[in-house]
Amino acid sequence: MHTSQQNSLKRLTNLDIGKTAFIAGIKGLRTEQKDYLTNTGFVSGESITPILLSPTGNCTAYRLGGCGLIALRDSAADKILVTGESYE
Amino acid sequence: MNKSKSESGVEARSLYLLGNPNVGKSTVFNAMTGLRQHTGNWSGKTVDAAYGMFTYKKTEYKLIDLPGTHSVNSETAEERTVGDALKTQNKSESSITLILADATRMKRGIALALEFLENPCGGAVLCVNLCDIAEKRGLKIDYEELSLMLGIPVIGITAKRKSEISRLKEMIHTKYEELNRDGIRRIQTQSPSERLKLAEKITDCCVTRSEAAPTDLGERFDRIVTSKLVGIPIMLIFFGAILWLTICGANYPSELLSQLFANIKPHITVFLKNIGFPSVLIGILCDGVYDTVTWITAVMLPPMAIFFPLFTLLEDLGFLPRIAFNLDGCYTRSNMSGKQCLTQCMGLGCNAVGVCGCRIMPNESQRSVAIITNCFMPCNGRFALLISMSAIFIGSAAPKGLSGLIPMLCVLLLICVAAIMTWLVSFILTKTLFKSEGDVFALELPEYRRPEILRTLTVSLINRTLRIVGRALLVSAPTGAVIWLLANADAGGVPLLTLIAGFFDPFGKFLGVDGFIVLAFILSLPANEITLPILVMSYLASGTMTDVGGNEVLRSVLTENSWTIATAVNMMLLTLFHWPCATTLMTIYQETKSKKILALSVLVPCAVGIILCLCVKYGFALLNIVF
């Protein structure tokens, strides 16, 4: 686990655009769904930054690990907990 | 093991190609085997595991391309084949897995290598691709250090350069024996996050950035293209521009070809007469087969030959996932993954390809729904028909200067209708027959890559052109012959064709069209390109066309057969919503092995078509009463 000044956990959906945080865990999903996210790159300790918002709805594109954009719906992002935010 | 053995009797050496999406696996595959597999720039484009052979220094190699995957153990249908393939690897002869990584995203590639190394089967080589881009960004990779830490050989290449591919082949060739002799070191990690930490450590050791990250043009473009205000309008304008280029660009070649074929025809007729062909045969060949085939070549081919390369460039750029991202709200509301957008885009090229592409859908029920609704999107052949229709009937009513604009708007509107119906029908299907729970899916937005314009244009032009011409000859030739026969054989003074069309006429009129149109759709089951030629030839009951491709003549033929705007609109709606073509039907059955889904892929579009036609028919009737 990353130690950082800000240890408070918040939901990924509450992370503002442009702010970087680190993934702390995934709560509230079935095991297969959790595994899917992990295998896609949403792993504890990975840095994550919301970059783009979809114009039609509840979908955000995140930069994972400093490289590459992956889009996730808010219904799933809601279950990802992050910590240690800072400006990019 | 004998290096220089080349006779049959020695099995080919197996090479598995493994890697994350978008690392250029297909480029490597094509370069090594000399094949021309098209590579679009978005996750999940290559869905089939493809095999290819090549020979290097007199040794045969079998290269197996595994679909792009995030990890060795996974979810979707595409990702499952990787796990399967790697598992069977153990049973077969010794082999090497080529792990492909993106030099600009080393951590992901290293993580994949680590995952492979937990359960290594056979030997492995880590191949780092896109080194030219990494260099431009000031990234430096220490290959020796990386090789030491992972315990496998590492090579950095730029796959699009031929010399580098030879280097890769050389390394594989020489290392093959060593690898199989020495075995591979296992690297144990407990969990994905541990693996990631290790990957991060290794990346920090081996990859250095020599300057600050450059301003990201791609990201700025993305911000504009996905903005709330202008994002979707920009997409529409973009697409409209492509359509407009297609329409205007195809006009001149179409006219030329029509003229050419019309000029040649009398010579052929005379020639055949002179060598003593019976007049029936001349009729079949010249008026049936020749007219149909040349029509398709003159009228249908130019728009296809222009649209497809343009669209391919768009794909290569990496733009399509952004479209899916922008429209995601609509897909959420119809209980589908945004990936359905990608399958629809594939369907715009060819519905059979779109159906195959539905493997990227995250679960079986969504996949079924995506397959059933895929043919709502007009494939290339139907595109050409829609463009012709709207140019003939609606465009010619417009002033000369706008003559390209009106058909473009028509087609754009129809595609929007198709998209809306897809969402609606998907919604209904997922709530009734194909219930699926809310699922979690991620969509990757790959980096923009500069498409190789010249190469793409030539490859897709040639591929597409050859394929269309081939299919035209194969399918339309016999159909043209059949139509001519039906039009010229009669029973009691009435051509058979008219009788058959008359049989369908009540149903046709009910739909706001006529029997000939219904017949044309039925007869164009083999390929949608031939609908219009069949229709026009049927109208001219003598079974011959006086002037191939002339818009004004076509318009008068149609008006003489009591076409109105309503008829044209309904015909275009039916073009969008009717049963899939034969190739697509076969593909659907192959992909699903389900008679239920096959039946639904026929019934659902027809039902939608019928309902929409009735709405239009009564809508127009209402307007007539009111005004």
Side-chain angles (χ1 to χ4, degrees), chain A residues 30 33 36-40 43-44 46 51-56 59-61 63 67-73, chain B residues 70 73 75 105 107 192-193 196 219 226 325-329 332-333 336 338 437 439-443 445:
Chain A
R30 302 196 306 267
Q33 295 174 319
Y36 172 76
L37 282 179
T38 317
N39 285 330
T40 314
V43 177
S44 291
E46 188 68 281
I51 304 279
L52 301 168
L53 280 176
S54 165
T56 53
C59 186
T60 313
R63 187 179 295 135
C67 55
L69 286 175
I70 299 196
L72 209 57
R73 284 189 185 156
Chain B
H70 284 285
N73 309 302
E75 283 293 304
R105 288 172 167 185
K107 189 162 68 176
S193 76
L196 192 73
E219 192 176 303
T226 61
F325 179 70
N326 275 356
L327 296 174
D328 189 68
T332 316
R333 271 172 229 132
M336 297 288 283
E437 311 180 5
D439 248 324
V440 168
F441 5 87
L443 181 71
L445 302 179

Side-chain angles (χ1 to χ4, degrees), chain B residues 492-555:
Chain B
V494 183
L496 278 179
L497 194 60
T498 319
L499 282 177
I500 300 177
F503 171 70
F504 289 111
D505 208 56
F507 181 56
K509 287 277 158 49
F510 167 64
L511 288 181
V513 288
D514 64 25
F516 288 100
I517 296 177
V518 176
L519 186 60
F521 277 121
I522 294 176
L523 288 175
S524 59
L525 184 68
N528 282 304
E529 290 97 58
I530 63 181
T531 314
L532 207 49
I534 294 180
L535 186 61
V536 176
M537 274 168 62
S538 326
Y539 278 138
L540 304 171
S542 62
T544 173
M545 295 189 282
T546 50
D547 179 2
V548 176
N551 275 0
E552 268 316 302
V553 176
L554 287 175
R555 187 149 194 264

Side-chain angles (χ1 to χ4, degrees), chain B residues 13 26 32 36 38 64 67 82 137 153 205 213 244 254 556 569 622:
Chain B
R13 295 174 168 179
S26 292
M32 290 181 94
R36 297 255 174 277
H38 174 66
I64 300 142
V82 179
R137 300 209 185 149
C205 278
W244 186 79
S254 278
S556 54
V569 172
L622 207 66

Side-chain angles (χ1 to χ4, degrees), chain B residues 292 296 470-480 523-527 529-530:
Chain B
T292 320
I296 290 179
R471 199 156 86 133
L473 292 178
L474 217 59
V475 168
S476 59
T479 316
L523 288 175
S524 59
L525 184 68
E529 290 97 58
I530 63 181

